[in-house]
Every structure is written in C-alpha cells, then in structure tokens.
Amino acid sequence: MILVTGGTGFIGSHTSVELLREGFEVLIADNLSNSYADVIDRIEEITGKRPFFERTDLSNSEETDLLFEKYPKIEAIIHFAASKAVGESVEKPLLYYKNNLNSLMNILENMKRHSVKNLVFSSSCTVYGEPDELPVHERSPIKIANSPYGNTKQISEEIIQDVAKVSSEINFISLRYFNPIGAHPSALIGELPLGIPNNLIPYITQTGYGLREALKVFGDDYNTPDGSAIRDYIDVVDLSRAHIISIKRLLNHKNKANFEIFNLGTGTGSSVFEVIRTFEKVCGQKINFKVVGRREGDIEKVWADTRYANEELGWKAEKTLGQSLKTAWDWENYYRKNLEKK
Ligand code: UFG
C-alpha cells in the first residue's frame, strides 16, 4: 500500500491515478484544506479502482499516529500534503512553517515507529532561487529562500537529509518540480485553485473561459528575448509518472544512496508571452492581457537540467507545452460545465 498525502490535490490526484493503474493499492490522506473529497470519485471513474481515503490533518501528531496505526500495510509514502501559495506564505509564515514542517516530522516519526522504509518528497525548483547558471542541475547552489513557502521546502530537504544520515534503513527521494501544469486527458481531474488563481495557467484558462477580464503579465522588461519571465512548464501526468518510477526505484532497492534528489522539468524554458501565444493557437481562444509591473519575489528565468532524471530514472517529459495547455483548457471547461454547480 502506498500512502499518498495530499492525494486529492493537483499533483497528488494525478499520481494516485497512475499508481492505481500500475496496480498499487493507494491510501489517500488529505485534510481537504485546499481540495474536495469528490476527487476520489473521479479517480475511481478514471481507473475503475477506488483508493482508500482518510480525512487526516498530518500536521496533527495524534491524527497522524492514528492513520499509521489503522493502516499497518503502508510500504511507501509520497508526501505532497503542504500549503503552497507563495504570497500567502509571506502573509502567514507560521501557518506555513507549522503545516509544512510538522506534517513532515509527524510522518518521519511514524515511518520509524512502523518501519516504513520509503519516502518520496514533493520539493520545488524554488530551492534554487534566481540561478547563476542555466539550466539548473541538482548540485546547483541552494539560494536564500524568497518566501516562507520556499523556505519550508529547503528546511524539509535538510530535515530529510539529517534523518537519512542516521537512518540508513530508510530511503528518500526528493523530487524538485519546476512549474507543473496541465490536467488529466480525461478532463476529470485537474488544478483547482480556490479564489483568484496565483499561477499563470489557471489564470489563463479562467480568463479564456470569461471568469477573469484580463491576464496581468507581470513584467515585460526582464532580460529575456521577449522581456517576459521564463519558466520550465512540466505536464502533471509526466510529473506523476516520475513518482511511480521513484516509488519502484525505492521498493526495488535500485536507489544509489538513501537520499537522492532529482529535477523534474522539461529542460526547456517558455516565456509568459510564449505561453499565451501557444494557448491561443492550440485552444483557439484569445486571451486578453495587459502588461503590468513585475511581481515581487519573481525570478527572471529558470529551467531544468534534466539529464540526471533522464539517465538515472529513465524518465523524460513527453508532453509539449501545447498539449499540456490543451488538457488544462479541457479541464477548465469540463469543471465549469459539469462539476462546479454540484
Ligand atoms: N505570471 C503572470 N501573471 C499571472 C501569474 C503568473 O504574468 O497572473 C507569470 C509570473 O510572473 C511568472 C510565470 O507567470 O513569470 C509563472 O508564474 P506562476 O505563479 O505560475 O509560477 P511561479 O514560477 O511563480 O511559481 C511556481 C510555483 C511555486 C514554486 C515556484 C518555483 O507556483 O510553488 O514555481 O519557482 F515555488
């Protein structure tokens, strides 16, 4: 049994689908603070299999202890559950430190207590900050975090590193995601931000759908070919596949050290204007936008050196930016027409 924390969220739900498809038994634990329980129904609709589900707040040690006591068959964990809004973390730092760090420590304690030997951790390219060299590889320097959210990812990796040093029987993989986008091709699950989206792609799809008047492009005066900022947008299904590979690597003892780190990106950067243009072309929908000032804390450009993940995990992103944007658009339409009013 694989425990997927945050399994009703964006990346967690897609990864649960891939795990079920591969024949794994899946237990989702989520406090539903930023997601909905009916995602479980749709995971079942896609796969024909229903994951176990517990509404658990993993930052609460008693609730976490109970979860592990109730499910003694957990062999491995993929830990997604975390607060992830960069701006909110600046406003509410303690919420982020408490939630993201306590949950990790509660899980690690229970792994020791119940002899669970494998953990895949959901990390972020935010740990690299504004990189000095591109593309960024796994040994690129870790920069001072730009936000409490980013800091929780750095501290989490440090906690894992320290535990790995003294717990050679436990194996860890940290996956540093670049910018996850897209949705399941069935359009039954996808990204579902509460309120006004912070991230580019949901803002674009909501603008396309008519829910937002215009996308604000944060800055066209960066040192990039068209002046807008550059990111490495990675499809959520491609990303999910990397988690399955990581879980199998751990379960089959193929890991080379008991703490490994991999970048998960496409290796290609796209500017905000390129994303808008690609969306318009692939989805046949114009996007109103206006250029405004830079967003505080944004970096200019980042994309991944994917060689290590390609070679060691045998994993490569397959979807193009256009394909990912199309699935995100299909999901936006499906959600608004079929699910929102329920
Ligand atoms: N952008 C806009 N308008 C918007 C939203 C975003 O122009 O309304 C721009 C941003 O300025 C940036 C790009 O689109 O250049 C991507 O922005 P996102 O907010 O989608 O993503 P970020 O790169 O800022 O943040 C993401 C994740 C974080 C993670 C970070 C690591 O959301 O969790 O990558 O760099 F920490």
Side-chain angles (χ1 to χ4, degrees), residues 227-296:
S228 65
I230 294 179
R231 298 288 183 276
D232 184 339
Y233 296 95
I234 168 83
D235 187 83
V236 67
V237 177
D238 282 338
L239 202 61
S240 298
R241 284 193 300 104
H243 291 75
I244 315 306
I245 293 169
S246 300
I247 282 289
K248 287 183 178 170
R249 181 178 176 91
L250 293 178
L251 291 175
N252 298 328
H253 311 291
K254 294 283 193 299
N255 49 316
K256 299 222 163 116
N258 78 325
F259 181 36
E260 296 183 307
I261 293 172
F262 296 99
N263 282 345
L264 297 183
T266 65
T268 303
S270 304
S271 74
V272 176
F273 290 131
E274 278 171 338
V275 173
I276 297 171
R277 270 202 308 279
T278 306
F279 179 88
E280 290 182 333
K281 190 164 151 224
V282 172
C283 304
Q285 173 67 51
K286 281 228 74 74
I287 296 297
N288 295 328
F289 69 86
K290 59 178 180 217
V291 176
V292 299
R294 294 181 180 192
R295 181 170 67 178
E296 201 176 316

Side-chain angles (χ1 to χ4, degrees), residues 25 39 47 76 96 102 105 119 122 129 147 189 210 242 250 269 312 317 337 341:
E25 205 171 21
V39 168
T47 62
Y96 274 68
N102 286 344
M105 289 187 286
L119 179 83
S122 186
S147 68
I189 53 173
L250 293 178
E312 267 304 313
K337 290 183 184 129
K341 288 172 197 75

Side-chain angles (χ1 to χ4, degrees), residues 25-39:
E25 205 171 21
V26 173
L27 163 63
I28 289 178
D30 201 303
N31 66 357
L32 303 179
S33 61
N34 195 24
S35 60
Y36 298 96
D38 66 352
V39 168

Side-chain angles (χ1 to χ4, degrees), residues 27 46 162 282 325 342:
L27 163 63
I46 296 169
D162 288 343
V282 172
L325 292 171
K342 273 193 188 167

Side-chain angles (χ1 to χ4, degrees), residues 129-131 134 146 200 216-231 233 270-273 291-303:
E130 181 82 61
L134 286 164
N146 259 342
L200 180 63
K216 293 188 199 76
V217 174
F218 297 135
D220 66 351
D221 56 351
Y222 283 108
N223 181 25
T224 60
D226 65 19
S228 65
I230 294 179
R231 298 288 183 276
Y233 296 95
S270 304
S271 74
V272 176
F273 290 131
V291 176
V292 299
R294 294 181 180 192
R295 181 170 67 178
E296 201 176 316
D298 266 355
I299 58 168
E300 186 166 272
K301 45 184 181 250
V302 64
W303 59 91

Side-chain angles (χ1 to χ4, degrees), residues 84 86 124-126 149 178-179 197-201 203 215-218 229-231 233 272 295 298-299 302:
K84 61 167 189 174
V86 175
S124 166
C125 71
T126 192
Y149 159 77
F178 283 67
N179 286 54
N198 292 305
N199 296 116
L200 180 63
I201 302 329
Y203 209 107
L215 169 75
K216 293 188 199 76
V217 174
F218 297 135
I230 294 179
R231 298 288 183 276
Y233 296 95
V272 176
R295 181 170 67 178
D298 266 355
I299 58 168
V302 64

Side-chain angles (χ1 to χ4, degrees), residues 296-328:
E296 201 176 316
D298 266 355
I299 58 168
E300 186 166 272
K301 45 184 181 250
V302 64
W303 59 91
D305 184 330
T306 61
R307 278 176 299 179
Y308 191 54
N310 296 163
E311 284 159 20
E312 267 304 313
L313 296 179
W315 171 88
K316 209 171 181 346
E318 285 168 3
K319 292 256 170 65
T320 62
L321 176 65
Q323 287 170 330
S324 302
L325 292 171
K326 179 69 169 68
T327 55

